[in-house]
Amino acid sequence: MTPETVNHSHSHSEGCSDGEIGKLIERLNSLKEGVRSAADLARCGQRAVEPLRRFLLDGKPSGIFQPRQRAVEALAELGARDVLIEYLTTERQISDPVDRYGEEAVEGTAARLLAEWRDDEVYRILLWLLRRRALPGLIEALGGFRRSEVIPDFITALGDSIGRSFAEEALAKLGEAAQWALMVTARTPLPSADHETPTSLCRRRSALRLLAQLRVSAEEWHTLSPMADDRDPEISARVNRIALAAPDESGRKRAASRLIGMLPNAPWFLQIEIEGWLLEYSDITRGVIEDEIAARRLAADAGGSTDDVLPRLLRLKHKIEAKQ
């Protein structure tokens, strides 16, 4: 929905009586009829705006959030921009965590729908709200504006487990405009390298994940390369993933060897990703994989020890050959 389609809703029938609107408001709470009631309220036109406003602003937040969410959707369809702003900027103290979670879902819906207006006032309001509480819906809504001023706020949200995926998506939309900030974040453990917080570590991992989607220049790779042997396995792996696409061919081969060496001890999810990277960049990794297979076979023949990595490398070799 866009402001243009919202304006069309103003021409819908204004013929609903107050009694009919009241019944439709009550039916918003119905599991069976709630969605239809929201659509019917939108068709009632401007006369439904004030009852919907009271339902939303005066109603009690609940873990069962769909009725309030439907009210938000009806208000957006009616073009009630000011009511959505009023709702989002009204302070609510909600002690129950289930009710708080439900209301955040409603707020997220309101933010996403309000962002359809795409004007400066809406942008400023959403940014002000984000800086108070980094809700996923606010991050998603602001991401749609694709404005570089909000990059530091998205970077901060990378450290939050709930908002991280939304912040990553928003930063990915900004592409190269976010690259410098991502480079700084990836290289900066906070408060220090020896006492890095879990939040900072998560933020740096996300930054590297996003940088892997961008073209990293030789100069940029030079600043990242010291982290190729980072003590955190995921940081090290993601830096070496970036190296696979770097301009330096010898560095690409070293990265492939490092990634193979990480396979035995990396977390399972990282093992899967590493195998995917080795397959994706088979033009550079094929020779390294073949050399590793030969070396590990010799070691196994000499010592009789088992090698869990060798079967994986053999499977990768077959996949690469099938891909050629």
Side-chain angles (χ1 to χ4, degrees):
M1 182 184 62
T2 66
E4 288 75 15
T5 59
V6 166
N7 289 337
H8 291 316
S9 71
H10 295 174
S11 64
H12 290 320
S13 171
E14 302 276 349
C16 300
S17 69
D18 290 345
E20 288 170 330
I21 291 173
K23 288 178 181 178
L24 289 171
I25 292 284
E26 289 177 10
R27 288 176 189 163
L28 288 174
N29 295 303
S30 168
L31 182 63
K32 182 178 179 180
E33 299 179 340
V35 174
R36 181 176 175 179
S37 295
D40 289 341
L41 281 161
R43 282 192 287 271
C44 285
Q46 293 300 293
R47 196 166 186 170
V49 169
E50 182 54 29
L52 282 164
R53 175 188 172 277
R54 290 196 299 269
F55 179 85
L56 187 62
L57 270 71
D58 298 341
K60 184 180 182 299
S62 169
I64 303 172
F65 58 85
Q66 289 84 355
R68 295 170 62 74
Q69 204 170 46
R70 292 167 191 148
V72 164
E73 291 165 353
L75 284 162
E77 184 67 24
L78 287 162
R81 176 179 179 275
D82 291 345
V83 178
L84 295 180
I85 291 173
E86 182 183 9
Y87 165 68
L88 284 169
T89 55
T90 297
E91 192 73 33
R92 281 172 290 278
Q93 299 297 327
I94 306 173
S95 57
D96 184 87
V98 176
D99 292 348
R100 176 71 265 168
Y101 175 82
E103 197 63 14
E104 286 178 357
V106 180
E107 291 167 346
T109 299
R112 285 189 291 270
L113 292 173
L114 182 61
E116 294 291 343
W117 271 268
R118 290 286 190 276
D119 60 55
D120 287 343
E121 182 187 10
V122 166
Y123 174 78
R124 288 194 298 270
I125 289 169
L126 291 174
L127 184 57
W128 175 74
L129 290 166
L130 178 67
R131 288 173 176 172
R132 298 181 72 194
R133 286 189 301 145
L135 299 180
L138 290 168
I139 296 169
E140 185 179 358
L142 281 163
F145 283 82
R146 303 194 182 199
R147 294 196 185 185
S148 58
E149 307 98 287
V150 77
I151 287 173
D153 301 280
F154 291 156
I155 293 288
T156 299
L158 291 177
D160 176 67
S161 59
I162 297 174
R164 183 177 304 123
S165 62
F166 296 91
E168 286 184 356
E169 184 177 349
L171 288 162
K173 286 179 181 177
L174 286 161
E176 292 184 1
Q179 189 158 350
W180 181 83
L182 291 169
M183 290 286 297
V184 172
T185 301
R187 302 197 317 265
T188 311
L190 297 173
S192 68
D194 293 329
H195 301 94
E196 184 173 16
T197 65
T199 297
S200 172
L201 187 59
C202 288
R203 193 180 294 126
R204 291 202 300 134
R205 289 169 176 169
S206 284
L208 288 166
R209 188 181 298 114
L210 288 162
L211 284 168
Q213 301 173 25
L214 301 171
R215 183 183 296 275
V216 175
S217 68
E219 182 180 355
E220 289 167 335
W221 165 242
H222 180 72
T223 65
L224 292 175
S225 60
M227 296 190 295
D229 294 309
D230 195 273
R231 59 189 174 191
D232 177 71
E234 188 171 349
I235 293 287
S236 175
R238 297 201 181 283
V239 171
N240 282 291
R241 155 66 181 86
I242 293 170
L244 290 176
D248 178 13
E249 185 170 336
S250 62
R252 295 172 73 190
K253 290 181 177 179
R254 285 195 299 274
S257 293
R258 288 194 193 98
L259 288 168
I260 291 170
M262 293 178 69
L263 280 172
N265 301 313
W268 66 269
F269 74 90
L270 203 52
Q271 292 177 14
I272 294 170
E273 288 195 74
I274 288 171
E275 290 185 12
W277 301 334
L278 294 171
L279 181 61
E280 179 183 358
Y281 290 92
S282 58
D283 60 321
I284 196 73
T285 64
R286 180 174 184 171
V288 178
I289 289 171
E290 289 173 348
D291 290 345
E292 282 285 341
I293 288 172
R296 288 171 185 274
R297 276 176 167 165
L298 281 174
D301 291 342
S305 60
T306 58
D307 186 345
D308 293 337
V309 176
L310 182 57
R312 293 186 180 194
L313 294 178
L314 288 168
R315 286 196 298 272
L316 266 175
K317 181 174 180 289
H318 292 319
K319 288 180 180 178
I320 289 170
E321 289 171 347
K323 195 175 81 166
Q324 300 299 312

